[in-house]
Amino acid sequence: MSPQAAVAAGCSLSSGFNVSRVRGDFPALDQLVHGRPLVYLDNAATTQKPRVVLDALFNFYTRDCANVHRGVHELSRRATEAYEGARRTVARFLNAAPHEIVFTRGATEAINLAAQAFARSILREGDEILLTELEHHSNIVPWQLLAEQTGARLVVAPINDRGELLMEELERRLSPRTRLIAVAHVSNALGTINPVAEICRMARARGIRVLVDGAQAAPHVRIDVRALDCDFYAFSGHKLYGPTGIGVLYGKAELLERMPPYQGGGDMIRSVSFEKTLFNDPPYRFEAGTPHIAGAIGLAAAIEYLTGLGLDEIARHEYELLSAATRALSEIPGVRLVGTASHKAAVLSFVLDGIHPHDVATVLDHEGVAVRAGHHCAQPLMERLGLPATTRASFALYNTLEEVEVLARAVRRARELFG
Amino acid sequence: MALENLYQQLIMDHGRRPRNFRAIEQPTHQLEGYNPLCGDRVTVYLKVENGRVTDAAFQGVGCAISTASASLMTETIKGKTEAEVEQLFEAFHAMVTGKPVHPGVTLGKLSALAGVAAYPVRVKCATLPWHTMKGALAGAGQPVTTE
C-alpha cells in the first residue's frame, strides 16, 4: 500500500494502528454538526466514549445493579466483584497495588482528598507548598484553601516562554520549609509534559512529598507510579474515554494507612457506636457512602480498551497528529502557537492575530470542528503568558490526519472572514 | 444558520474599529464587567447629567461580538434618558435571548446583533457590556460578572 493509500484507508503510517476501525468503536463520532461531519478536537476537556464503556454501564444497570460490600445476595456479589475488579484494573494501569487505589468523583476530588486528609496533618504555619505556573485551577485552589486553614504558604515555580518548567528555578524554590510539591504531569492548556520523575527525585532527596495531577497525562502517557516514586497520583475517568463522575487517587499504602478519613459515612467504618467509631482500612476508609459503582466499572472497561489497543501505539498515533497539526497551523499566516515545549502531549493552543479565540471557535464550530476557547481553567498561566485566552485543539486516539486538514482549513476560513 | 448572520458587516466593522473606545475623565458612573468563562473584560464609563446620558465610552478586551456590542451600545445610549436606557436594555436583552421585543422600542443599529439569539453560548458576549452599563447606572460598587 502506498503512503497515500494508507492514509486514505485510515491507517497511520508509522504504526499498525487502524484509526478508521477505532473510530467505529465511538458512536458519538458518527454525526453531523451544522451539516458537517463532527471533528471532535476538545479531548482535553473530555473524550468520547467507546461502545465497550457504554456497554459496561448498560450491563451493570440491566443485570448486576446492587450495592457493594454489603449484600449477601447474588447481585451484590456480582456488583462487588465488578467494582473490586475495576480497582485491580486501575492498579495494574498505574503499576500500583489495589489497596492503594481510592475511587473519587474525579481528579479534583482526588486532589482535595490528598490535601485535606494527608497534607493538612503535616503542615504547620510557615510551611511551604510548591506549585507551578502551569497548573489547572484544580491543582491550585485546594492548596490555597489548605494554606488558609494551616497558615502554610504557596510558592510558585516559573516556566519559560515555551511553556516548560524551569527546573533550576524550581529547585531553588525548595526550602527547608517545603513539605509538598503539587505538579501537573501534563499541562492541560499547553500540552507540556513535565519532568515529574526528576521532580520526584529532587523531592525524595529532601523528604518532600509529591502529588502528581495526572488528569491530562492519563490518556496520553504511560504511567508507572512505582517508577515515578510519587506519593500521590490523581486522574479523572472521563478524560480517559471513561464515564464522568469517576476518578482515582493513588496513594502510597504507608501514607494512606496513616491518613484520617476524608468524609464520614457508610462503608468507610469498621464499627460505629455513639461513643466511638472505628474506621475501615484504606482504600475503603476514603470511600464514604455508596460509590459510583457503574462509573468504576466503566472506567475499567475504558482502561482495558486502551491497553488492548496498545498505549505505545496510541502515543505514536497522537504524536503523528500533533506533528501534523503543528506543521499545518504554523504555515497559516497570523497563527501563533502557544506552548512549544520540546516534550508535549497532543494539545495545541494557539492565537490568531486580531481575532479573539471565541470568534475563532465559533467559526470552527460552523465547520463541524469542536475546540475549546478560553483560559482553560488556568488563569494564572494565561496571566503569565499575557493572553486573555487561547483556542485549543486537543487530539485523541480516534482523530485522523484528515481531521487535522479540516482544522487547518477552518482556521484559514476564520482568517478570511475576519480578514 | 449562516455564519454571516452572526458576523454581519456592521458587527465586523464595530468589532475591528470600536467607537467610543476610550476612558471618560471624571465620569459620573464607571464599572468593570468580567466574564470569567472567557476572560472578557470591559470597563464602561458614563457621564449622566440631569437624568440624561451625555457621554458613554468603554475600554477592555473581548471578542468581536462583545466589542461590537459595547461599541453600538455606547453610540445608542448617548443622548437617551435613564428611563429610555432601561427600556433599551430590556429590549436588547429580549432580542439576543430570542424573546419578543416590546413593540414601542426602536433598536435601530442594535438589531445587527439579533443573530446572537441563534448562538446561546455567545449571548453573554453580547450582554456583558449592557449588564456592566446597567450596574454602573445603578451605582453598583462591585464589578459585574456574567456568572
Side-chain angles (χ1 to χ4, degrees):
Chain A
M1 195 186 290
S2 73
Q4 288 77 13
V7 171
C11 293
S12 175
L13 294 181
S14 59
S15 66
F17 185 81
N18 186 331
V19 71
S20 60
R21 202 174 58 213
V22 165
R23 289 180 70 79
D25 297 336
F26 291 81
L29 295 178
D30 184 22
Q31 61 176 301
L32 299 180
V33 169
H34 303 299
R36 308 286 176 94
L38 168 66
V39 175
Y40 187 79
L41 300 179
D42 194 16
N43 296 289
T46 198
T47 49
Q48 301 303 331
K49 318 306 174 198
R51 207 178 302 276
V52 286
V53 169
L54 306 175
D55 286 347
L57 298 174
F58 185 80
N59 288 339
F60 170 72
Y61 283 125
T62 46
R63 276 199 345 235
D64 308 331
C65 183
N67 215 325
V68 291
H69 304 145
R70 0 202 171 311
V72 175
H73 59 82
E74 169 65 14
L75 264 57
S76 178
R77 183 195 64 76
R78 281 191 226 150
T80 304
E81 208 166 273
Y83 182 67
E84 291 307 321
R87 197 189 306 278
R88 287 193 295 277
T89 302
V90 171
R92 271 196 305 278
F93 180 63
L94 298 179
N95 191 25
H99 60 277
E100 295 176 312
I101 302 301
V102 180
F103 284 118
T104 64
R105 281 192 295 133
T108 296
E109 189 180 51
I111 295 170
N112 278 279
L113 197 167
Q116 292 298 323
F118 173 72
R120 191 169 183 170
S121 61
I122 64 162
L123 288 173
R124 303 283 169 272
E125 195 171 340
D127 281 347
E128 291 168 0
I129 304 167
L130 187 101
L131 310 177
T132 82
E133 275 182 333
L134 35 74
E135 297 311 314
H136 188 280
H137 294 164
S138 62
N139 202 25
I140 299 174
V141 183
W143 306 113
Q144 245 162 5
L145 292 172
L146 186 62
E148 278 167 27
Q149 290 160 347
T150 59
R153 219 163 60 81
L154 300 187
V155 177
V156 182
I159 56 169
N160 63 20
D161 291 339
R162 293 157 55 88
E164 297 166 315
L165 270 180
L166 294 166
M167 291 300 285
E168 283 171 20
E169 293 293 322
L170 184 148
E171 189 163 18
R172 194 173 316 167
R173 279 164 177 73
L174 297 178
S175 83
R177 300 305 302 267
T178 312
R179 305 303 306 271
L180 187 124
I181 301 173
V183 59
H185 196 166
V186 170
S187 154
N188 72 304
L190 306 182
T192 310
I193 301 177
N194 286 324
V196 283
E198 194 183 335
I199 292 170
C200 287
R201 267 198 304 279
M202 276 182 192
R204 190 66 51 231
R206 294 168 171 82
I208 298 167
R209 301 293 180 181
V210 181
L211 175 137
V212 179
D213 169 7
Q216 210 55 242
H220 302 296
V221 179
R222 191 182 278 281
I223 302 159
D224 182 335
V225 290
R226 293 257 180 281
L228 269 183
D229 199 18
C230 58
D231 297 287
F232 296 96
Y233 197 99
F235 73 92
S236 290
H238 71 96
K239 292 188 201 285
L240 192 71
Y241 312 96
T244 56
I246 188 78
V248 168
L249 177 70
Y250 156 81
K252 277 187 177 162
E254 70 200 68
L255 299 179
L256 291 180
E257 273 155 26
R258 293 212 309 257
M259 283 158 54
Y262 173 54
Q263 293 177 330
D267 218 27
M268 52 78 72
I269 47 85
R270 179 155 292 145
S271 71
V272 177
S273 70
F274 283 109
E275 288 70 42
K276 181 158 179 64
T277 292
L278 289 176
F279 300 121
N280 207 338
D281 292 331
Y284 312 108
R285 189 186 300 161
F286 308 104
E287 293 178 1
T290 297
H292 187 5
I293 306 165
I297 294 168
L299 171 58
I303 289 174
E304 275 155 14
Y305 176 77
L306 289 181
T307 46
L309 288 177
L311 296 177
D312 296 333
E313 280 72 20
I314 292 169
R316 253 200 300 279
H317 175 66
E318 289 181 348
Y319 181 75
E320 201 172 353
L321 294 170
L322 178 67
S323 308
T326 304
R327 245 188 340 265
L329 290 194
S330 306
E331 283 168 5
I332 301 172
V335 167
R336 183 160 71 84
L337 300 180
V338 182
T340 51
S342 52
H343 294 288
K344 270 187 73 169
V347 172
L348 204 58
S349 253
F350 62 95
V351 288
L352 260 175
D353 257 0
I355 316 178
H356 192 280
H358 261 196
D359 296 315
V360 176
T362 294
V363 177
L364 264 53
D365 180 49
H366 259 261
E367 303 290 319
V369 182
V371 294
R372 170 89 187 265
H375 53 58
H376 315 297
C377 298
Q379 285 178 359
L381 172 62
M382 292 292 132
E383 192 79 19
R384 157 67 179 81
L385 298 169
L387 296 167
T390 71
T391 308
R392 179 187 71 186
S394 51
F395 299 89
L397 59 92
Y398 42 63
N399 291 124
T400 66
L401 292 170
E402 290 78 1
E403 289 181 316
V404 169
E405 283 169 30
V406 176
L407 167 70
R409 267 203 305 278
V411 172
R412 286 179 197 275
R413 163 105 172 97
R415 283 211 5 113
E416 283 159 23
L417 192 71
F418 284 83
Chain B
M1 179 183 261
L3 206 48
E4 283 73 12
N5 286 347
L6 178 65
Y7 293 113
Q8 294 193 14
Q9 214 47 53
L10 193 67
I11 307 285
M12 300 300 265
D13 178 35
H14 279 257
R16 271 193 215 110
R17 297 183 299 111
R19 322 297 197 265
N20 305 309
F21 191 77
R22 58 186 161 83
I24 294 175
E25 284 189 24
Q26 296 175 326
T28 54
H29 303 74
Q30 170 185 343
L31 194 64
E32 190 191 350
Y34 178 50
N35 182 345
L37 287 186
C38 63
D40 283 2
R41 279 176 195 283
V42 63
T43 303
V44 172
Y45 307 90
L46 301 171
K47 194 162 240 179
V48 181
E49 291 161 304
N50 303 321
R52 196 174 285 275
V53 178
T54 55
D55 198 6
F58 79 103
Q59 287 180 316
V61 195
C63 60
I65 304 296
S66 75
T67 305
S69 177
S71 173
L72 289 164
M73 177 188 80
T74 53
E75 275 197 340
T76 310
I77 64 172
K78 235 187 271 187
K80 301 279 195 299
T81 65
E82 285 191 56
E84 287 166 338
V85 168
E86 176 70 24
Q87 281 180 340
L88 275 170
F89 174 92
E90 295 301 333
F92 180 81
H93 201 270
M95 177 183 75
V96 295
T97 51
K99 297 193 183 83
V101 175
H102 194 281
V105 185
T106 313
L107 284 163
K109 277 187 191 177
L110 297 175
S111 305
L113 283 155
V116 172
Y119 296 82
V121 294
R122 303 303 299 273
V123 167
K124 282 175 182 166
C125 307
T127 56
L128 175 65
W130 284 85
H131 281 292
T132 309
M133 180 274 293
K134 197 181 175 197
L137 275 184
Q142 291 297 312
V144 168
T145 86
T146 55
E147 296 308 308

